[in-house]
Structures are given as structure tokens and as C-alpha cells.
Amino acid sequence: MTGATTNQLISVSPEELKFQFEPEKQSCCDLKVTNNTDQYVAFKVKTTSPKKYFVRPNTGIVHPGDSCFIRVTLQAQKDYPPDMQCKDKFLLQSTIVNSDADDLPPDTFNRDSGRNVEECKLRVVYASPHSSLGHSENAFSQSSDVNSSQALQRARDERDAVLRQTQQLQQELEMLKRRRNRRSDAGFSVKFALVVGLIGLMAGFLFKLLMSSPSTE
């Protein structure tokens, strides 16, 4: 979860402390604390397991409308916790102060002194780096599948385009053949008519010659 927990005085983000847990290795998580008021707000961080965590700064003052970051470091642990479950809790207290003095009075967060002290509780979550790696590999695999599908679709589209062009060329070729055949037939008919006409003229001319020739009897 990456949301923010909002009180009247401050906002804290994220709303839980998440650590990548590996034995014999430290892990860090940063908290962003934002002052929602126009006054100086002091804060203090507490935890149920102070020996396991290193918090800097664990106390401080945030200027009006300003923000600061708190780094929480999980010290190196020998073994994985059972089922990767963690029962540790953090408590962030906040209250309005008069100035941004470096040293806070001991009773700054003491409600018995009549101060209005707000509290924000944060839980701790452990995550295995292998699960993050698996998630990354899964995301990469999904991305590869998407890219492969897109490439396959492009190849199919190109194949269909080539087939359409081939069919179009075949149709144009058939049309050209039919046109050529029609032109050849027309040429043959004209030539045939000319030949027939010439033969007719020659036959008529010969017939006239025969009819006009004097008889020998």
C-alpha cells in the first residue's frame, strides 16, 4: 500500500512500513511527514521493537506547510520470520510547538501536561525479494507475450496485404488477356473481311471479263 495516513496536524506516507527482507542484510524504508497546519509541529517516532530498527531522525520539528523524511532501517536479522509475518508496530506522535528550537522539552509529548498529542500507528510488512523478482519476471513475460502477439499480428496483416495485391495483379492480368484476345479477334475479323472483299472484287472482275469477251463460235 502506498497511501497516506492523514491527521489534523500531519500526513504520513506511506501508511505502512514495507521492508525487503533478506537474512544478514539491512533494509530501509522512508516515511514522508507533512505539516498540514500553519504552525510548527513536533514529531516523535516510537516502536515496539527498538533493538531491531534504527530511526533517523526519531524526533524533530516540521515547519508550517513543510515536509520532512524519516528513514527507518531494519537491522540485519539471522533468519526469516515464520511465514514472513511481522507483529512490530510504529507510533508517530505529533503536537504543536511554539518554535523550531533544536531541543524539545521532555514533556513535549506528555498529554498530562495538557498538550494535544496526535498519534499515527503504522504496521510493518516484510516482503521477500524473490517475490519481487518473480513479479518482475512475470511482468517481463507478459510484456514479451504482448510483443510477440503484436509481431505475429503485423506479420499476418502483411501476409494478407501481399495476398490481396497478388489477387489484384492476377485479376488485372486476366483482364489484359481478355482485352488482348478481343483485340486479336477484331483484327482477324477485319483482315478476313478485307480478304473476302478482295476475293469478291477479283471474282466480279473476272466474271465481267468473261461476259464481255467475244464468242469464238
Side-chain angles (χ1 to χ4, degrees):
M1 301 173 66
T2 58
T5 300
T6 303
N7 294 335
Q8 292 184 354
L9 299 181
I10 61 172
S11 298
V12 182
S13 177
E15 60 185 14
E16 65 183 14
L17 291 161
K18 187 173 183 178
F19 297 95
Q20 295 292 329
F21 190 97
E22 287 187 84
E24 306 296 340
K25 289 186 178 181
Q26 290 185 346
S27 181
C28 298
C29 180
D30 290 334
L31 292 175
K32 182 180 180 181
V33 179
T34 301
N35 185 349
N36 298 325
T37 73
D38 56 358
Q39 303 181 69
Y40 292 98
V41 174
F43 68 86
K44 183 177 183 179
V45 181
K46 295 181 178 181
T47 178
T48 56
S49 302
K51 293 183 179 180
K52 288 175 59 177
Y53 301 94
F54 183 75
V55 183
R56 283 294 179 272
N58 63 339
T59 61
I61 296 176
V62 187
H63 289 208
D66 201 359
S67 300
C68 74
F69 286 90
I70 302 172
R71 168 152 292 191
V72 182
T73 302
L74 171 64
Q75 302 298 320
Q77 306 295 308
K78 292 183 179 180
D79 300 311
Y80 285 104
D83 299 326
M84 290 294 289
Q85 298 298 316
C86 181
K87 297 181 179 180
D88 299 337
K89 298 289 189 299
F90 277 79
L91 180 68
L92 198 153
Q93 296 177 310
S94 59
T95 186
I96 294 175
V97 292
N98 294 327
S99 66
D100 59 345
D102 294 334
D103 295 328
L104 295 174
D107 63 344
T108 300
F109 301 95
N110 187 355
R111 289 179 174 174
D112 295 337
S113 61
R115 288 182 176 274
N116 176 30
V117 179
E118 292 187 356
E119 294 182 343
C120 176
K121 296 180 180 180
L122 304 170
R123 71 189 189 103
V124 177
V125 176
Y126 290 159
S128 171
H130 301 294
S131 62
S132 300
L133 179 61
H135 176 74
S136 300
E137 291 177 348
N138 186 38
F140 177 77
S141 177
Q142 291 178 352
S143 177
S144 299
D145 292 341
V146 171
N147 293 335
S148 299
S149 299
Q150 292 176 348
L152 181 60
Q153 185 61 41
R154 285 196 298 269
R156 289 175 177 173
D157 293 341
E158 292 175 357
R159 180 200 62 187
D160 294 340
V162 171
L163 289 176
R164 287 193 297 269
Q165 291 178 357
T166 302
Q167 292 175 355
Q168 185 176 358
L169 290 174
Q170 290 177 346
Q171 293 174 357
E172 292 178 355
L173 181 60
E174 292 296 331
M175 186 179 298
L176 290 174
K177 287 181 178 179
R178 288 195 295 270
R179 289 179 180 176
R180 185 183 63 182
N181 292 334
R182 285 198 297 270
R183 290 175 181 175
S184 298
D185 293 342
F188 175 78
S189 300
V190 171
K191 291 178 181 179
F192 181 77
L194 290 174
V195 171
V196 171
L198 289 174
I199 293 174
L201 289 174
M202 292 178 65
F205 180 73
L206 290 174
F207 181 76
K208 287 182 179 181
L209 286 176
L210 291 174
M211 292 299 294
S212 61
S213 297
S215 177
T216 56
E217 295 179 354

